[in-house]
Amino acid sequence: MKVLVPVKRVVDYNVKVRVKSDQTGVDIANVKMSMNPFDEIAVEEATRLKEKGAAAEVVAVSCGVAQCQETLRTAMAIGADRGVLVQTDAELQPLAVAKLLRALVDKEQPQLVILGKQAIDDDANQTGQMLAALLDWPQATFASKVELADGKATVTREVDGGLETVTLKLPAIITTDLRLNEPRYVTLPNIMKAKKKQLDTVTPEELGVDPAPRLKTLKVSEPPARKAGIKVADVAALVDKLKNEAKVV
C-alpha cells in the first residue's frame, strides 16, 4: 500500500511572527522556517505504518517555492521513501493545494493520504476536507489513533464531546491531531541518507492545475494589546466590576 503525505513549509513555531509595515502579510524575511508540526505527525504516522508492514511506500509531497525541498528532505529523514515538489511562486490557498494534491493522487494512485489537520500559519483546516470532496473519498479528521486492517482504516477522532471511532473503506483521507503520536528525533545518519533519496519536481501547469488565488487579503494586523489585570479586595467588589464595568452579569 502506498501512503501520500502532504507537508507544508511554515514559519517555525518558536518564532514570534511580525506583521509587515504595509500590513500586506507576515514578514518571513530571514525567519527560520520548518515543517508544519501537524504534518510532521502525519509523516511519523505514515512511517510507523510502513514499519508495521501496513504500508509499502511513503511519498512526501509539498507545494510551494524551491526552498520546500528542505521540508521534503526532513520528511525523508523521518522515514518517507521519496519526495515530490510542486514548485510554484504563486500564493497557494487551500483549494489550490487540494486541486494540486488531487492531480498527484491521480498520478501516484495511493491508497491512503495522511496530512496535518491544519497549518499553523493560516489555521485554515480546509485542505484535507477539500481533497476528500474533490476525490469523493471517505475522510476522518482530527485523528488521535489510526489502525489499518482488511482494506479498512479504523480511526479514533477527537471531537468536542470526547472521542469518536469511525471505520473508513480505503482509499481514504486522514488528518492528524496532536495526540496521534510524538514525531521521532531526526538523527544525522538519516539526514545524510535523505540527501540521496529521490526528489522529483513538477509544476502546476504539468499537472493541469491553475493555482491562482481566489481570495484577496485586504489587510493583516496584530491583535490589540491586552490590558493588565487587577486585584479586588473581596467577592462583592468582583461582582460589582463584572456587573458595572465588564457588563457580563
Side-chain angles (χ1 to χ4, degrees):
M1 184 180 75
K2 183 187 294 187
V3 182
L4 196 72
V5 187
V7 296
K8 185 177 183 181
R9 178 177 180 263
V10 299
V11 176
D12 190 86
Y13 68 93
N14 287 313
V15 174
K16 179 176 173 57
V17 296
R18 293 181 174 84
V19 175
K20 292 180 180 178
S21 57
D22 58 3
Q23 295 187 314
T24 58
V26 173
D27 188 4
I28 60 172
N30 301 316
V31 171
K32 182 183 178 183
M33 308 292 284
S34 61
M35 187 190 302
N36 178 48
F38 291 103
D39 295 339
E40 193 174 359
I41 292 170
V43 177
E44 174 66 27
E45 190 64 22
T47 301
R48 293 186 184 188
L49 290 174
K50 187 181 71 171
E51 291 171 346
K52 291 176 184 176
E57 183 182 24
V58 177
V59 182
V61 178
S62 191
C63 305
V65 296
Q67 290 87 336
C68 291
Q69 293 184 30
E70 302 169 7
T71 308
L72 288 170
R73 293 294 180 192
T74 301
M76 289 188 281
I78 293 174
D81 297 293
R82 57 188 175 89
V84 179
L85 171 62
V86 183
Q87 188 170 332
T88 175
D89 292 327
E91 176 193 349
L92 293 176
Q93 295 176 351
L95 182 57
V97 175
K99 288 180 178 179
L100 291 169
L101 293 177
R102 179 187 61 177
L104 283 173
V105 167
D106 292 340
K107 181 179 178 181
E108 294 286 344
Q109 295 294 309
Q111 286 72 52
L112 184 64
V113 179
I114 305 179
L115 65 161
K117 69 172 184 176
Q118 65 195 74
I120 62 172
D121 52 1
D122 57 18
D123 275 333
N125 182 19
Q126 296 174 347
T127 304
Q129 293 88 328
M130 288 178 171
L131 178 59
L134 291 171
L135 290 169
D136 196 24
W137 283 10
Q139 61 176 314
T141 55
F142 316 129
S144 62
K145 185 178 180 181
V146 176
E147 295 178 334
L148 300 181
D150 303 322
K152 295 181 180 179
T154 302
V155 181
T156 301
R157 302 180 60 239
E158 297 198 6
V159 295
D160 291 342
L163 299 176
E164 176 187 50
T165 301
V166 296
T167 300
L168 312 175
K169 188 176 180 180
L170 300 179
I173 308 290
I174 296 175
T175 70
T176 63
D177 214 325
L178 279 174
R179 280 155 289 279
L180 179 58
N181 61 54
E182 184 176 343
R184 68 194 66 189
Y185 176 77
V186 180
T187 62
L188 182 59
N190 285 336
I191 293 174
M192 300 306 293
K193 290 177 183 177
K195 292 182 178 180
K196 298 180 180 179
K197 290 184 178 180
Q198 179 181 345
L199 198 163
D200 300 319
T201 301
V202 297
T203 64
E205 292 73 23
E206 291 173 341
L207 296 175
V209 177
D210 179 12
R214 299 161 63 94
L215 305 174
K216 181 180 179 181
T217 301
L218 300 179
K219 185 175 73 170
V220 177
S221 58
E222 294 187 11
R226 191 172 178 178
K227 294 182 180 179
I230 61 171
K231 290 184 178 180
V232 294
D234 50 36
V235 175
L238 174 61
V239 172
D240 178 68
K241 288 189 176 293
L242 290 174
K243 184 176 181 179
N244 299 314
E245 292 185 18
K247 299 186 185 300
V248 294
V249 296

